[in-house]
Amino acid sequence: MKKYLVLSFSLLLGACASGPNATQNAQVNYIQACNAWGSALTAAAKLRLDGKLSPQAVKQITALDATITPICTGPLPADPTAATTQITTAVTELGIIEGVKAATGKTVQGVVK
């Protein structure tokens, strides 16, 4: 009986860890990643308006935007974790473009594949 109770409790804990809270956490992470994308894109737009981005940087950012903005403005993805990974990668790439531009005055080449 004791074994059964321990096994049942373990299964219950496992179900909770992968249940609604895990889904909710994935959705929150997705929304936070989209907010980070929006902030990074706003910073890039300011750099562009100030004439601080080369045509190559604008092209790279436009390519990222064409991929990420539809993910963030569309319906909640079936797999928010995969979407979060894709968005976070784009935020990082955009940060590299902006950071290198700010630090060196040059645009990173080949960031966007």
Side-chain angles (χ1 to χ4, degrees):
M1 179 69 171
K2 189 174 184 180
K3 254 186 189 177
Y4 175 74
L5 287 175
V6 171
L7 179 60
S8 296
F9 185 69
S10 297
L11 291 173
L12 179 62
L13 284 177
C16 290
S18 63
N21 286 339
T23 300
Q24 186 175 23
N25 288 340
Q27 292 171 350
V28 168
N29 290 338
Y30 159 77
I31 291 168
Q32 289 173 336
C34 286
N35 286 336
W37 172 252
S39 295
L41 198 56
T42 298
K46 173 136 178 48
L47 287 173
R48 183 178 185 190
L49 285 174
D50 292 345
K52 295 182 179 177
L53 291 177
S54 70
Q56 177 64 24
V58 172
K59 183 179 176 182
Q60 291 174 320
I61 293 166
T62 301
L64 287 170
D65 185 41
T67 301
I68 302 304
T69 295
I71 295 170
C72 288
T73 58
L76 183 67
D79 185 355
T81 301
T84 299
T85 300
Q86 186 176 4
I87 297 162
T88 303
T89 299
V91 170
T92 301
E93 290 176 11
L94 185 53
I96 291 169
I97 292 168
E98 294 171 355
V100 169
K101 185 68 178 175
T104 67
K106 297 179 182 177
T107 301
V108 171
Q109 302 298 318
V111 173
V112 178
K113 293 160 185 77

